[in-house]
């Protein structure tokens, strides 16, 4: 229902922005501009088609030969001989994914056009004389916009969090929410704002479950624990009509400032007031997980592997859980960032990597870092062309000391195992057939024609260490590996009951229990409860 390219839409939007900025831009009660709402969607009109072609001309220096090579368009006779032949990758209302290079460029164009539209709105506000900071509210990963481009043009990151609490696996939901909070905190490496949450239920999830007593406070303080400096709501009062008239709100249709949900909100407000000193504090994570939108898009649209669902995000969450359960703070960053700050960098399924990203990873390990990569790493470049000479691409073969020759995809009923240090771990979905060059083999496949071939390897590369997991396990193998590495790297961990986690913001420790029953946690040292003032001492 919008077109970010339309000059009329841009003109009218900018006019509204300027009028708002002129009227409220110097009002001391206005502390932040909220630019648009949940940027997303795409338009396929003729204006956008023309803008897409112009964007491609700039990217490929007006060379159709360069574009055809990047898209490998000769395959199935898709060679482009005129710019006007190019259209967005949609046929009959459905994505046309035959040329992944075209699809990836379209996704990058949509990100560019959305960012450009947002910049236009910000400029309209600034032209009216307002220097109040700006934000735009982002949404749960994965998205069809790469937020790493939007974040460079806003002053503070904000996002809308709607976890599906009280599902069958409550711990999985808590891990998922924590991962996303960490992702948005890591965009600018400073506190973010929780722009939207619900004090009760949503109306648009598959099951509109009410938050059980205590869940709203737990979820709100989870956001604070992972870097939020706010807890805000959609919505204040339930609307009488429309599609979200049954979406949770602070004030229900009865119009009363009372009741169970209102009291829950009140209690969160009391807690936040007591936690005011936490605002502005940061998280110093020594572990990073590389989460990359472009890899997510590329592997999701690759024909091969498990075509129905490669489970890229779920794989990232599985690796993240090993740190979450031990109270280890993690930054969730993209591959273009500086890695030198981290003791351990984890790279699940980084299928698509350009040369600059490869160089950054190589430099990190060469200078003393410890990296962990998995199957399907560095298979293709930024336009989905396979790297020649074996996987992972280019110098990553030297970094990890191996070549991934083939990858076997397992049916759901297939079984395999990995034997490591006398223990057997179950393997599902993927098994890479690996030839070590300089890497030391740690674990070996237990079945099939590649029984005895290496599945878990480590390689000493210059001053650093690189580990490679050639298969997808059910969680036990990766968990054991990370437990070992955390100990070797002397990264602080906690011995916590199942379902309990710890997050840190400078001197503040957040201990949270996501079970539906009480548990006992023992922490060595002396701590003061910020809310109650109670002192806990276990220095013996």
């Amino acid at each position: 229902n919008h077109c970010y390219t339309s000059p009329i839409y841009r003109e009218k939007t900018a006019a509204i922005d300027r009028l708002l900025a002129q009227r409220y831009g110097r009002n001391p009660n206005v502390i932040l501009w909220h630019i648009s709402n949940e940027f997303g969607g795409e338009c396929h009109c003729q204006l956008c088609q023309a803008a897409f072609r112009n964007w491609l001309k700039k990217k490929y220096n007006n060379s159709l030969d360069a574009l055809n090579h990047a898209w490998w368009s000769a395959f199935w006779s898709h060679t482009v001989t005129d710019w006007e032949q190019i259209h967005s990758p949609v046929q009959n209302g459905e994505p046309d994914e035959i040329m992944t290079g075209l699809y990836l460029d379209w996704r990058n164009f949509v990100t560019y056009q959305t960012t450009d539209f947002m910049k236009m709105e910000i400029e309209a506000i600034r032209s009216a004389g307002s220097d109040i900071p700006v934000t735009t509210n982002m949404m749960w990963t994965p998205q069809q916009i790469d937020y790493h481009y939007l974040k460079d043009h806003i002053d503070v990151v904000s996002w809308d969090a709607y976890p599906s609490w009280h599902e069958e696996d409550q711990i999985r939901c808590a891990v998922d929410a924590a991962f996303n909070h960490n992702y948005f905190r890591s965009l600018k490496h400073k506190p973010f704002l929780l722009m939207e949450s619900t004090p009760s239920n949503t109306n648009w999830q598959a099951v509109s479950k009410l938050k059980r007593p205590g869940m709203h406070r737990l979820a709100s303080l989870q956001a604070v624990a992972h870097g939020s400096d706010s807890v805000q709501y959609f919505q204040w009062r339930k609307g009488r009509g429309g599609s979200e008239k049954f979406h949770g709100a602070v004030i229900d249709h009865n119009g009363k400032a009372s009741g169970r949900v209102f009291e829950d909100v009140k209690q969160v407000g009391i807690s936040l007031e007591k936690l005011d000193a936490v605002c502005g504090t940061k998280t110093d994570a020594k572990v990073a997980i590389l989460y990359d939108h472009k890899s997510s898009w590329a592997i999701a649209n690759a024909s091969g592997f498990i075509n129905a669902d490669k489970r890229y995000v779920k794989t990232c969450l599985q690796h993240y859980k090993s740190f979450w359960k031990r109270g280890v703070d993690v930054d969730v960053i993209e591959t273009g960032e500086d890695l030198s700050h981290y003791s351990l960098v984890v790279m699940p399924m980084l299928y698509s990597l350009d040369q600059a990203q490869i160089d950054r990873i190589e430099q990190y390990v060469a200078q003393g870092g410890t990296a962990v990569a998995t199957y399907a790493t560095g298979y293709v470049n930024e336009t989905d062309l396979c790297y020649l000479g074996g996987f992972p691409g280019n110098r990553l073969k030297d970094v990890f000391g191996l070549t991934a020759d083939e990858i076997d995809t397992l049916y759901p009923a297939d079984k395999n195992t990995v034997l490591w240090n006398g223990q057997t771990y179950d393997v599902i979905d993927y098994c890479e057939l690996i030839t070590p060059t300089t890497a030391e083999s740690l674990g070996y496949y237990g079945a099939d024609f590649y029984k005895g071939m290496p599945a878990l390897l480590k390689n000493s590369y210059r001053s650093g260490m690189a580990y490679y997991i050639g298969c997808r396990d059910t969680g036990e193998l990766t968990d054991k590996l990370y437990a070992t590495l955390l100990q070797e790297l002397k990264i602080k961990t906690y011995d916590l009951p199942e379902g309990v986690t710890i997050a840190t913001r400078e001197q503040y420790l957040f201990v949270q229990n996501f079970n539906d029953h009480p548990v006992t946690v023992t922490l060595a040292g002396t701590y003061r409860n910020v809310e109650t003032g109670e002192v806990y001492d276990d220095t013996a």
Side-chain angles (χ1 to χ4, degrees):
N1 62 356
H2 63 269
C3 172
Y4 291 146
T5 306
S6 166
I8 298 175
Y9 183 48
R10 286 182 173 231
E11 175 190 343
K12 300 301 183 183
T13 301
I16 293 170
D17 290 334
R18 278 192 295 271
L19 286 170
L20 286 169
Q22 288 165 2
R23 179 171 293 185
Y24 300 109
R26 292 178 177 83
N27 188 316
N29 296 317
V30 179
I31 62 171
L32 188 68
W33 289 113
H34 177 189
I35 303 296
S36 284
N37 179 66
E38 293 185 338
F39 277 119
E42 56 194 72
C43 177
H44 299 270
C45 75
Q46 291 307 309
L47 290 171
C48 290
Q49 303 289 357
F52 179 43
R53 295 179 193 115
N54 288 333
W55 182 88
L56 290 170
K57 288 177 184 178
K58 287 183 180 179
K59 177 176 180 179
Y60 293 105
N61 296 316
N62 216 34
S63 169
L64 283 174
D65 288 341
L67 178 142
N68 281 311
H69 175 78
W71 291 359
W72 212 247
S73 57
F75 182 73
W76 284 1
S77 301
H78 280 74
T79 299
V80 177
T81 58
D82 189 286
W83 293 100
E84 293 301 312
Q85 295 169 358
I86 298 172
H87 299 274
S88 58
V90 168
Q91 291 184 344
N92 302 319
E94 296 295 328
D96 176 7
E97 298 164 359
I98 291 173
M99 285 193 294
T100 310
L102 165 62
Y103 175 80
L104 294 176
D105 271 341
W106 173 253
R107 290 264 58 86
N108 289 322
F109 165 75
V110 170
T111 292
Y112 170 84
Q113 202 72 341
T114 303
T115 304
D116 189 63
F117 184 89
M118 184 185 72
K119 288 165 60 180
M120 176 275 299
E121 288 207 74
I122 295 171
E123 176 56 33
I125 290 170
R126 298 291 181 245
S127 69
S130 176
D131 59 359
I132 295 170
V134 298
T135 190
T136 188
N137 52 334
M138 303 176 187
M139 294 178 286
W140 205 275
T141 56
Q143 283 298 321
Q144 294 301 301
I145 294 174
D146 190 340
Y147 286 144
H148 290 95
Y149 290 89
L150 268 71
K151 59 98 173 172
D152 290 334
H153 305 284
I154 56 178
D155 298 297
V156 60
V157 169
S158 65
W159 83 288
D160 302 342
Y162 294 105
S164 300
W165 297 115
H166 311 299
E167 286 185 324
E168 183 177 350
D169 189 348
Q170 175 88 337
I171 308 306
R172 182 210 59 78
C173 185
V175 169
D176 194 352
F179 181 88
N180 275 271
H181 287 312
N182 287 0
Y183 169 78
F184 289 104
R185 182 195 71 220
S186 301
L187 282 176
K188 280 187 171 291
H189 295 280
K190 63 181 184 180
F192 62 91
L193 296 179
L194 180 60
M195 178 69 79
E196 289 187 23
S197 65
T198 175
S200 182
N201 62 308
T202 64
N203 75 302
W204 44 263
Q205 290 173 342
V207 177
S208 300
K209 193 83 170 174
L210 293 177
K211 283 184 177 177
R212 271 33 191 174
M215 189 69 244
H216 176 53
R217 182 173 180 273
L218 180 62
S220 297
L221 293 185
Q222 183 193 34
V224 175
H226 289 270
S228 180
D229 274 358
S230 74
V231 175
Q232 300 178 92
Y233 301 107
F234 178 81
Q235 49 195 337
W236 164 248
R237 183 189 298 272
K238 287 184 178 179
R240 190 174 182 184
S243 64
E244 293 189 291
K245 59 183 174 290
F246 296 123
H247 185 89
V250 179
I251 302 293
D252 212 321
H253 291 296
N254 61 23
K256 296 178 180 179
S258 62
R260 184 183 70 85
V261 173
F262 188 87
E263 288 301 315
D264 280 353
V265 173
K266 206 165 113 179
Q267 289 305 312
V268 169
I270 292 170
S271 291
L272 294 180
E273 190 172 26
K274 293 177 178 177
L275 295 172
D276 192 53
V278 174
C279 276
T281 59
K282 297 182 179 181
T283 300
D284 183 21
K286 297 301 181 186
V287 177
I289 291 180
L290 299 189
Y291 171 84
D292 187 73
H293 274 85
K294 292 179 175 60
S295 270
S296 176
W297 299 337
I299 198 167
N301 287 276
S303 294
F305 312 99
I306 299 175
N307 281 311
D309 185 3
K310 279 81 169 183
R311 301 199 302 181
Y312 172 70
V313 175
K314 290 179 181 177
T315 301
C316 291
L317 290 172
Q318 177 184 301
H319 287 257
Y320 172 68
K321 185 179 180 181
S322 293
F323 304 104
W324 181 90
K325 66 189 283 188
R326 292 177 172 87
V328 176
D329 294 309
V330 175
D331 283 349
V332 181
I333 63 175
E334 58 102 21
T335 50
E337 291 202 31
D338 177 23
L339 306 177
S340 61
H341 171 73
Y342 302 103
S343 301
L344 175 62
V345 173
V346 178
M347 305 178 287
M349 293 182 73
L350 275 185
Y351 168 77
S352 173
L353 289 169
D354 63 30
Q355 190 56 55
Q357 293 167 327
I358 289 173
D359 291 344
R360 197 171 289 110
I361 293 167
E362 187 272 340
Q363 184 181 43
Y364 167 74
V365 179
Q367 294 178 350
T370 299
V372 178
T374 73
Y375 51 92
T377 290
Y379 276 26
V380 300
N381 70 1
E382 64 274 19
T383 64
D384 201 46
L385 294 184
C386 287
Y387 281 109
L388 302 180
F391 305 137
N394 293 355
R395 285 191 291 170
L396 288 185
K397 287 189 293 296
D398 299 327
V399 173
F400 292 96
L402 54 85
T403 299
D405 302 307
E406 299 178 86
I407 186 166
D408 189 20
T409 304
L410 308 185
Y411 288 112
D414 290 342
K415 297 183 183 300
N416 209 323
T417 58
V418 168
L419 180 65
W420 176 37
N421 277 348
Q423 189 168 343
T424 300
Y425 301 90
D426 290 333
V427 169
I428 58 174
D429 295 346
Y430 300 121
C431 296
E432 273 186 340
L433 281 59
I434 296 169
T435 299
T437 51
T438 58
E440 174 189 352
S441 301
L442 303 178
Y444 302 86
Y445 289 116
D448 220 314
F449 70 91
Y450 40 88
K451 178 180 179 180
M453 291 183 66
L456 175 64
L457 308 93
K458 74 172 181 179
N459 186 53
S460 177
Y461 182 77
R462 298 190 184 177
S463 299
M465 190 67 68
Y467 290 80
Y468 195 89
I469 306 169
C471 55
R472 176 179 285 169
D473 74 298
T474 55
E476 290 81 5
L477 174 64
T478 46
D479 189 64
K480 179 64 176 177
L481 175 63
Y482 293 132
T484 302
L485 292 179
L486 289 168
Q487 186 176 18
E488 290 178 355
L489 295 170
K490 296 181 172 54
I491 298 173
K492 185 174 178 57
T493 62
Y494 297 90
D495 185 13
L496 299 170
E498 177 71 18
V500 175
T501 188
I502 288 178
T504 306
R505 293 183 64 172
E506 294 182 11
Q507 72 270 32
Y508 298 99
L509 211 65
F510 291 80
V511 186
Q512 295 196 290
N513 175 24
F514 289 91
N515 295 292
D516 57 4
H517 57 270
V519 296
T520 299
V521 177
T522 302
L523 298 175
T526 302
Y527 302 89
R528 182 177 66 85
N529 188 315
V530 176
E531 291 192 70
T532 67
E534 180 183 0
V535 175
Y536 170 83
D537 188 359
D538 186 24
T539 55

